[in-house]
Amino acid sequence: MRATVMYGAGDVRVETVPDARIIEPTDALVTVTRACICGSDLWPYNAMRPREIGNRMGHEFIGLVEAVGREVRTVKRGDLVVAPFAWSDGTCEFCQHGLQTSCLHGGWWGGTELDGGQGEAVRVPQADGTLVALPVGADHALMPSLLTLTDVMGTGHHAALAARVSPGKTVAVVGDGAVGLCGVIAARRLGADRIIMLGRHPDRIALARDFGATDIVSARGETAIEGVRDLTGGLGAHSVLECVGHGEAMLTAVSIARPGGAVGRVGVPQEAAIPNAGPIFYANITIAGGPAPVRAYIEELLPDILDGRIQPGRVFDHVTNLDGVPDGYRAMNERTSIKVMIEF
Ligand SMILES: [Zn+2]
């Protein structure tokens, strides 16, 4: 079969790899029908040291179950399934508490040992805990939005929960990538009164407004901080969604939260420390978040997508096939694309 392999910064190849196959009795074999490229794939795309043995890429996919191991009960051959960006058993202490990203028997797609989503097929470990069958066909019009359940919509929702978004609150979203845009959807869905998007790209701002952003701050750094303070009577936002991960974004996020407010961070941190620890302490600002347990949110978000109440699939502005994946990385890295969908 063919799949995407990263060998170093800027070096993404589509090549022939060993066929995915069932190894454990808890595995499923899934033929990928849709996948995508993630903003977090761009961190190694910019920083990975060259390696002889590359990393299999991709952690967002929908596909058809081809076969299941003898212990698999919840999915069967022929089911269309969505896979969250981490796999998990669904039964351990952490899974029972909705924290599947800390599953005692779980893990992450790709790398050197496991298949990734940006390939023709995937061996899915812990299939019962990981996969969710979808009640639609593989070519359904809602497929782009359903694909966001693998990561960005669930991650935006997690940021909103971590930032304690609730009805009547003022929310600020740092980051106008796919996760930030889904964060706007999530904040509105949870009843936020005002949603301030910090972003500068006209197409992304337009989408943010469609998703429910009420105010836009098109600046960075100190100017952005002042912009949010001006919009909030000098007080700051109740809830801040940090959807980038680098230091400047985190500094902005903690600086625009009001005393007693909360920052929900879902951008993969690129620095060791959280900035402004002193002022955060004296303002009683909560810092929460981490990798979203998106598996915990699929059942909650799925009906809203099926009913058309939310349309997170609009974050996909490019569609390609497997051979177009290296160009897709380039487009997202140059920010000429918000998010690339791969059709198989
Ligand atoms: Zn578990």
Side-chain angles (χ1 to χ4, degrees):
M1 69 175 203
R2 298 173 72 241
T4 303
V5 188
M6 185 181 289
Y7 286 90
D11 186 1
V12 172
R13 307 176 204 169
V14 176
E15 56 187 32
T16 301
V17 300
D19 284 345
R21 63 191 176 89
I22 288 178
I23 296 174
E24 301 291 334
T26 46
D27 290 348
L29 175 63
V30 172
T31 303
V32 176
T33 56
R34 306 266 180 146
C36 38
I37 303 172
C38 185
S40 63
D41 294 333
L42 299 179
W43 294 120
Y45 187 73
N46 284 294
M48 182 177 164
R49 296 234 178 106
R51 283 225 300 260
E52 290 287 312
I53 299 172
N55 274 344
R56 298 280 297 282
M57 298 300 294
H59 54 258
E60 303 161 287
F61 62 96
I62 284 174
L64 286 163
V65 176
E66 291 293 326
V68 296
R70 66 175 186 278
E71 292 178 18
V72 174
R73 297 286 173 267
T74 63
V75 295
K76 60 185 187 307
R77 180 180 160 83
D79 282 351
L80 185 73
V81 290
V82 58
F85 72 75
W87 46 273
S88 54
D89 63 7
T91 55
C92 78
E93 171 72 13
F94 295 115
C95 284
Q96 286 184 44
H97 287 85
L99 195 61
Q100 285 86 343
T101 43
S102 293
C103 177
L104 295 170
H105 310 105
W108 314 88
W109 307 110
T112 56
E113 303 291 324
L114 289 171
D115 301 309
Q118 293 162 7
E120 289 176 332
V122 175
R123 173 176 85 88
V124 176
Q126 305 291 353
D128 276 346
T130 304
L131 297 173
V132 178
L134 294 170
V136 294
D139 292 320
H140 195 278
L142 289 174
M143 214 41 64
S145 285
L146 294 167
L147 189 57
T148 68
L149 291 172
T150 62
D151 187 344
V152 290
M153 186 59 225
T155 296
H157 181 65
H158 187 61
L161 293 180
R164 303 197 297 228
V165 174
S166 61
K169 283 188 176 171
T170 293
V171 177
V173 178
V174 178
D176 60 5
V179 172
L181 291 165
C182 288
V184 172
I185 295 174
R188 182 176 191 190
R189 186 177 168 279
L190 292 170
D193 182 37
R194 287 179 83 186
I195 303 172
I196 303 166
M197 166 58 95
L198 284 71
R200 294 185 302 165
H201 298 74
D203 53 333
R204 298 167 190 233
I205 289 170
L207 199 48
R209 283 201 187 277
D210 277 3
F211 285 163
T214 55
D215 302 86
I216 308 294
V217 171
S218 293
R220 293 180 69 166
E222 197 56 41
T223 318
I225 295 167
E226 283 167 21
V228 175
R229 289 221 185 102
D230 287 347
L231 286 169
T232 54
L235 301 179
H238 297 98
S239 302
V240 181
L241 282 53
E242 198 289 288
C243 306
V244 181
H246 63 58
E248 184 189 337
M250 192 62 190
L251 178 59
T252 300
V254 299
S255 303
I256 60 180
R258 66 190 256 156
V263 175
R265 58 176 184 151
V266 291
V268 181
Q270 303 301 303
E271 275 87 18
I274 292 174
N276 267 12
I280 293 167
F281 173 82
Y282 282 102
N284 273 287
I285 290 167
T286 297
I287 311 272
V294 296
R295 176 64 186 82
Y297 305 139
I298 290 177
E299 284 90 347
E300 179 181 348
L301 297 171
L302 181 59
D304 280 29
I305 288 175
L306 293 174
D307 294 346
R309 281 192 294 274
I310 59 173
Q311 298 178 311
R314 292 179 64 195
V315 299
F316 292 107
D317 56 355
H318 279 72
V319 181
T320 189
N321 57 22
L322 185 56
D323 288 317
V325 167
D327 283 337
Y329 272 79
R330 214 165 292 132
M332 282 182 61
N333 200 46
E334 291 165 359
R335 292 179 73 81
T336 53
S337 171
I338 300 173
K339 194 166 177 69
V340 174
M341 181 164 65
I342 307 157
E343 291 182 341
F344 288 80

Short mmCIF file of all heavy atoms in Angstrom, two decimals, residues 175-216:
data_model
loop_
_atom_site.label_atom_id
_atom_site.label_comp_id
_atom_site.label_asym_id
_atom_site.label_seq_id
_atom_site.Cartn_x
_atom_site.Cartn_y
_atom_site.Cartn_z
N GLY A 175 -5.55 32.54 17.63
CA GLY A 175 -5.21 31.58 16.58
C GLY A 175 -6.35 31.45 15.59
O GLY A 175 -7.47 31.09 15.97
N ASP A 176 -6.06 31.76 14.32
CA ASP A 176 -7.11 31.69 13.31
C ASP A 176 -6.93 30.50 12.38
O ASP A 176 -7.38 30.50 11.25
CB ASP A 176 -7.21 33.02 12.52
CG ASP A 176 -5.90 33.35 11.80
OD1 ASP A 176 -4.97 32.52 11.83
OD2 ASP A 176 -5.82 34.43 11.20
N GLY A 177 -6.23 29.46 12.85
CA GLY A 177 -6.16 28.21 12.11
C GLY A 177 -7.45 27.41 12.29
O GLY A 177 -8.43 27.90 12.87
N ALA A 178 -7.44 26.18 11.81
CA ALA A 178 -8.65 25.36 11.85
C ALA A 178 -9.14 25.15 13.28
O ALA A 178 -10.36 25.17 13.53
CB ALA A 178 -8.39 24.01 11.17
N VAL A 179 -8.22 24.97 14.23
CA VAL A 179 -8.64 24.75 15.62
C VAL A 179 -9.26 26.01 16.20
O VAL A 179 -10.31 25.96 16.86
CB VAL A 179 -7.46 24.25 16.49
CG1 VAL A 179 -7.86 24.22 17.95
CG2 VAL A 179 -7.02 22.87 16.03
N GLY A 180 -8.64 27.16 15.96
CA GLY A 180 -9.21 28.41 16.45
C GLY A 180 -10.59 28.66 15.88
O GLY A 180 -11.52 29.06 16.59
N LEU A 181 -10.75 28.38 14.59
CA LEU A 181 -12.06 28.57 13.96
C LEU A 181 -13.09 27.62 14.56
O LEU A 181 -14.25 28.00 14.81
CB LEU A 181 -11.93 28.37 12.44
CG LEU A 181 -11.12 29.47 11.72
CD1 LEU A 181 -10.73 29.02 10.32
CD2 LEU A 181 -11.91 30.77 11.68
N CYS A 182 -12.69 26.38 14.81
CA CYS A 182 -13.60 25.44 15.48
C CYS A 182 -13.85 25.86 16.92
O CYS A 182 -14.93 25.60 17.47
CB CYS A 182 -13.04 24.02 15.43
SG CYS A 182 -13.10 23.27 13.78
N GLY A 183 -12.87 26.53 17.52
CA GLY A 183 -13.07 27.08 18.86
C GLY A 183 -14.17 28.12 18.88
O GLY A 183 -14.94 28.22 19.85
N VAL A 184 -14.26 28.90 17.82
CA VAL A 184 -15.36 29.88 17.70
C VAL A 184 -16.70 29.15 17.65
O VAL A 184 -17.65 29.51 18.35
CB VAL A 184 -15.17 30.77 16.44
CG1 VAL A 184 -16.39 31.64 16.22
CG2 VAL A 184 -13.91 31.63 16.57
N ILE A 185 -16.76 28.09 16.82
CA ILE A 185 -18.00 27.30 16.74
C ILE A 185 -18.36 26.76 18.13
O ILE A 185 -19.52 26.85 18.57
CB ILE A 185 -17.82 26.11 15.77
CG1 ILE A 185 -17.60 26.61 14.33
CG2 ILE A 185 -19.02 25.16 15.85
CD1 ILE A 185 -17.29 25.50 13.34
N ALA A 186 -17.36 26.23 18.82
CA ALA A 186 -17.61 25.61 20.13
C ALA A 186 -18.08 26.65 21.14
O ALA A 186 -18.99 26.39 21.94
CB ALA A 186 -16.34 24.91 20.62
N ALA A 187 -17.43 27.83 21.12
CA ALA A 187 -17.80 28.87 22.09
C ALA A 187 -19.24 29.33 21.87
O ALA A 187 -20.00 29.50 22.83
CB ALA A 187 -16.84 30.05 21.97
N ARG A 188 -19.60 29.48 20.60
CA ARG A 188 -20.97 29.89 20.31
C ARG A 188 -21.96 28.80 20.74
O ARG A 188 -23.02 29.08 21.32
CB ARG A 188 -21.12 30.18 18.83
CG ARG A 188 -22.51 30.65 18.51
CD ARG A 188 -22.65 31.03 17.08
NE ARG A 188 -23.91 31.71 16.86
CZ ARG A 188 -24.39 31.99 15.67
NH1 ARG A 188 -23.71 31.65 14.60
NH2 ARG A 188 -25.54 32.59 15.55
N ARG A 189 -21.58 27.55 20.43
CA ARG A 189 -22.44 26.41 20.76
C ARG A 189 -22.67 26.32 22.27
O ARG A 189 -23.75 25.91 22.72
CB ARG A 189 -21.75 25.15 20.23
CG ARG A 189 -22.55 23.88 20.35
CD ARG A 189 -21.78 22.71 19.73
NE ARG A 189 -22.43 21.48 20.11
CZ ARG A 189 -22.24 20.88 21.27
NH1 ARG A 189 -21.39 21.38 22.15
NH2 ARG A 189 -22.89 19.78 21.57
N LEU A 190 -21.67 26.74 23.05
CA LEU A 190 -21.79 26.67 24.51
C LEU A 190 -22.41 27.94 25.09
O LEU A 190 -22.49 28.08 26.31
CB LEU A 190 -20.41 26.42 25.14
CG LEU A 190 -19.82 25.03 24.83
CD1 LEU A 190 -18.35 24.96 25.28
CD2 LEU A 190 -20.63 23.92 25.52
N GLY A 191 -22.82 28.86 24.22
CA GLY A 191 -23.61 29.99 24.70
C GLY A 191 -22.87 31.28 24.96
O GLY A 191 -23.42 32.19 25.61
N ALA A 192 -21.64 31.40 24.48
CA ALA A 192 -20.88 32.63 24.72
C ALA A 192 -21.66 33.84 24.20
O ALA A 192 -22.33 33.77 23.18
CB ALA A 192 -19.52 32.56 24.03
N ASP A 193 -21.52 34.95 24.91
CA ASP A 193 -22.21 36.17 24.53
C ASP A 193 -21.42 36.91 23.45
O ASP A 193 -21.95 37.26 22.41
CB ASP A 193 -22.38 37.05 25.79
CG ASP A 193 -23.13 38.32 25.47
OD1 ASP A 193 -24.05 38.26 24.65
OD2 ASP A 193 -22.77 39.37 26.04
N ARG A 194 -20.15 37.16 23.74
CA ARG A 194 -19.26 37.80 22.76
C ARG A 194 -18.10 36.85 22.47
O ARG A 194 -17.60 36.19 23.37
CB ARG A 194 -18.68 39.10 23.31
CG ARG A 194 -19.67 40.21 23.38
CD ARG A 194 -18.98 41.44 23.96
NE ARG A 194 -18.24 42.18 22.95
CZ ARG A 194 -17.45 43.23 23.24
NH1 ARG A 194 -17.28 43.59 24.48
NH2 ARG A 194 -16.84 43.89 22.28
N ILE A 195 -17.69 36.84 21.20
CA ILE A 195 -16.54 36.02 20.81
C ILE A 195 -15.58 36.91 20.01
O ILE A 195 -15.91 37.37 18.92
CB ILE A 195 -16.96 34.81 19.96
CG1 ILE A 195 -17.97 33.95 20.73
CG2 ILE A 195 -15.74 33.99 19.57
CD1 ILE A 195 -18.60 32.83 19.91
N ILE A 196 -14.43 37.17 20.61
CA ILE A 196 -13.43 38.03 19.98
C ILE A 196 -12.38 37.14 19.32
O ILE A 196 -11.71 36.35 19.99
CB ILE A 196 -12.74 38.93 21.03
CG1 ILE A 196 -13.78 39.76 21.80
CG2 ILE A 196 -11.68 39.81 20.38
CD1 ILE A 196 -13.24 40.41 23.07
N MET A 197 -12.24 37.24 17.99
CA MET A 197 -11.24 36.46 17.28
C MET A 197 -10.01 37.31 17.04
O MET A 197 -10.11 38.43 16.54
CB MET A 197 -11.83 35.95 15.95
CG MET A 197 -10.82 35.42 14.94
SD MET A 197 -9.81 34.05 15.55
CE MET A 197 -10.72 32.63 14.97
N LEU A 198 -8.86 36.79 17.43
CA LEU A 198 -7.60 37.45 17.11
C LEU A 198 -7.05 36.80 15.85
O LEU A 198 -6.65 35.62 15.87
CB LEU A 198 -6.58 37.31 18.26
CG LEU A 198 -6.81 38.21 19.48
CD1 LEU A 198 -8.01 37.76 20.27
CD2 LEU A 198 -5.57 38.25 20.36
N GLY A 199 -7.09 37.53 14.74
CA GLY A 199 -6.62 36.95 13.49
C GLY A 199 -6.40 38.03 12.46
O GLY A 199 -6.89 39.16 12.61
N ARG A 200 -5.65 37.68 11.41
CA ARG A 200 -5.28 38.72 10.46
C ARG A 200 -5.56 38.35 9.01
O ARG A 200 -5.45 39.19 8.13
CB ARG A 200 -3.78 39.03 10.61
CG ARG A 200 -3.47 39.67 11.95
CD ARG A 200 -2.03 40.07 12.03
NE ARG A 200 -1.16 38.91 11.81
CZ ARG A 200 0.12 38.99 11.54
NH1 ARG A 200 0.70 40.16 11.41
NH2 ARG A 200 0.85 37.89 11.38
N HIS A 201 -5.90 37.09 8.73
CA HIS A 201 -6.11 36.69 7.35
C HIS A 201 -7.58 36.91 6.98
O HIS A 201 -8.46 36.36 7.64
CB HIS A 201 -5.74 35.22 7.15
CG HIS A 201 -4.30 34.93 7.44
ND1 HIS A 201 -3.82 34.89 8.73
CD2 HIS A 201 -3.26 34.70 6.62
CE1 HIS A 201 -2.51 34.64 8.68
NE2 HIS A 201 -2.15 34.51 7.42
N PRO A 202 -7.84 37.71 5.93
CA PRO A 202 -9.23 38.07 5.60
C PRO A 202 -10.15 36.87 5.42
O PRO A 202 -11.30 36.89 5.89
CB PRO A 202 -9.08 38.85 4.29
CG PRO A 202 -7.69 39.40 4.32
CD PRO A 202 -6.87 38.38 5.06
N ASP A 203 -9.66 35.80 4.76
CA ASP A 203 -10.55 34.65 4.53
C ASP A 203 -10.89 33.95 5.84
O ASP A 203 -12.01 33.49 6.05
CB ASP A 203 -9.90 33.66 3.53
CG ASP A 203 -8.51 33.25 3.94
OD1 ASP A 203 -7.82 34.02 4.65
OD2 ASP A 203 -8.08 32.14 3.56
N ARG A 204 -9.93 33.90 6.75
CA ARG A 204 -10.17 33.25 8.04
C ARG A 204 -11.09 34.10 8.92
O ARG A 204 -11.95 33.58 9.63
CB ARG A 204 -8.84 32.98 8.75
CG ARG A 204 -7.95 32.05 7.94
CD ARG A 204 -6.52 32.02 8.46
NE ARG A 204 -5.67 31.31 7.52
CZ ARG A 204 -4.88 30.30 7.84
NH1 ARG A 204 -4.79 29.90 9.09
NH2 ARG A 204 -4.16 29.70 6.92
N ILE A 205 -10.90 35.42 8.84
CA ILE A 205 -11.76 36.31 9.61
C ILE A 205 -13.21 36.20 9.13
O ILE A 205 -14.14 36.14 9.94
CB ILE A 205 -11.24 37.76 9.49
CG1 ILE A 205 -9.93 37.90 10.29
CG2 ILE A 205 -12.29 38.76 9.98
CD1 ILE A 205 -9.21 39.21 10.05
N ALA A 206 -13.37 36.12 7.81
CA ALA A 206 -14.73 36.00 7.26
C ALA A 206 -15.39 34.71 7.76
O ALA A 206 -16.57 34.70 8.15
CB ALA A 206 -14.67 36.02 5.74
N LEU A 207 -14.62 33.64 7.78
CA LEU A 207 -15.16 32.36 8.25
C LEU A 207 -15.47 32.44 9.75
O LEU A 207 -16.51 31.96 10.21
CB LEU A 207 -14.14 31.25 7.96
CG LEU A 207 -14.60 29.81 7.95
CD1 LEU A 207 -15.86 29.62 7.12
CD2 LEU A 207 -13.47 28.91 7.41
N ALA A 208 -14.57 33.08 10.51
CA ALA A 208 -14.81 33.23 11.95
C ALA A 208 -16.11 33.99 12.21
O ALA A 208 -16.89 33.63 13.09
CB ALA A 208 -13.63 33.95 12.60
N ARG A 209 -16.35 35.02 11.42
CA ARG A 209 -17.60 35.77 11.59
C ARG A 209 -18.80 34.89 11.28
O ARG A 209 -19.81 34.90 12.00
CB ARG A 209 -17.60 37.00 10.67
CG ARG A 209 -16.76 38.14 11.18
CD ARG A 209 -17.20 39.45 10.52
NE ARG A 209 -16.32 40.56 10.84
CZ ARG A 209 -16.40 41.29 11.96
NH1 ARG A 209 -17.33 41.01 12.86
NH2 ARG A 209 -15.56 42.27 12.18
N ASP A 210 -18.70 34.10 10.20
CA ASP A 210 -19.80 33.18 9.88
C ASP A 210 -20.03 32.19 11.02
O ASP A 210 -21.15 31.78 11.28
CB ASP A 210 -19.46 32.39 8.61
CG ASP A 210 -19.79 33.16 7.34
OD1 ASP A 210 -20.23 34.32 7.46
OD2 ASP A 210 -19.62 32.59 6.25
N PHE A 211 -18.96 31.78 11.68
CA PHE A 211 -19.06 30.79 12.76
C PHE A 211 -19.56 31.40 14.06
O PHE A 211 -19.88 30.68 15.00
CB PHE A 211 -17.71 30.13 13.00
CG PHE A 211 -17.30 29.11 11.95
CD1 PHE A 211 -15.97 28.69 11.86
CD2 PHE A 211 -18.23 28.56 11.08
CE1 PHE A 211 -15.60 27.74 10.91
CE2 PHE A 211 -17.85 27.61 10.13
CZ PHE A 211 -16.54 27.21 10.04
N GLY A 212 -19.58 32.74 14.14
CA GLY A 212 -20.14 33.35 15.35
C GLY A 212 -19.27 34.37 16.04
O GLY A 212 -19.64 34.91 17.08
N ALA A 213 -18.08 34.69 15.48
CA ALA A 213 -17.25 35.73 16.09
C ALA A 213 -17.96 37.06 15.99
O ALA A 213 -18.49 37.42 14.94
CB ALA A 213 -15.88 35.79 15.41
N THR A 214 -17.98 37.81 17.10
CA THR A 214 -18.67 39.10 17.11
C THR A 214 -17.70 40.26 16.94
O THR A 214 -18.11 41.35 16.55
CB THR A 214 -19.44 39.29 18.44
OG1 THR A 214 -18.51 39.11 19.52
CG2 THR A 214 -20.56 38.28 18.57
N ASP A 215 -16.44 40.05 17.28
CA ASP A 215 -15.43 41.11 17.19
C ASP A 215 -14.13 40.51 16.65
O ASP A 215 -13.83 39.35 16.91
CB ASP A 215 -15.15 41.71 18.58
CG ASP A 215 -16.41 42.26 19.24
OD1 ASP A 215 -17.12 41.47 19.90
OD2 ASP A 215 -16.67 43.45 19.08
N ILE A 216 -13.37 41.32 15.93
CA ILE A 216 -12.10 40.88 15.37
C ILE A 216 -11.00 41.82 15.85
O ILE A 216 -11.18 43.05 15.81
CB ILE A 216 -12.12 40.90 13.82
CG1 ILE A 216 -13.33 40.14 13.27
CG2 ILE A 216 -10.80 40.38 13.26
CD1 ILE A 216 -13.33 38.66 13.52
#
